[in-house]
Amino acid sequence: MKKSLIKDVVVFLILLAAAAVLCYFLPEKVPVHFNAQGEADLAVNRWFLMLAVVIPYSVYWQFFRGNKKGEK
């Protein structure tokens, strides 16, 4: 149990560090929503994108965590 918790935390920290490095090189404002004409109508601060780390982490949690079906 403890070994899997440590592995989960390490994976999350690696994803967080990778996102931080990527955000560092982005421009200060990043468009995140576009209208039907393809124009950006919503731009956010680049560090706001750090919240998106939960998306790849949830993919890891669902498919790559390695739990057996009968395990709790």
Side-chain angles (χ1 to χ4, degrees):
M1 173 69 177
K2 186 173 178 143
K3 197 173 197 179
S4 67
L5 177 65
I6 292 172
K7 179 182 162 193
D8 293 342
V9 169
V10 168
V11 168
F12 182 74
L13 291 176
I14 289 171
L15 289 172
L16 200 62
V21 168
L22 291 174
C23 285
Y24 179 78
F25 292 105
L26 289 175
E28 192 62 33
K29 291 286 185 183
V30 179
V32 293
H33 190 268
F34 299 87
N35 61 17
Q37 288 78 30
E39 302 162 344
D41 58 359
L42 178 64
V44 298
N45 187 298
R46 63 183 172 189
W47 298 108
F48 181 78
L49 299 176
M50 291 293 289
L51 296 175
V53 168
V54 298
I55 297 169
Y57 185 72
S58 37
V59 170
Y60 158 75
W61 187 272
Q62 179 69 30
F63 297 109
F64 300 106
R65 194 155 178 255
N67 281 349
K68 306 281 189 271
K69 290 268 184 193
E71 254 182 62
K72 289 195 175 196

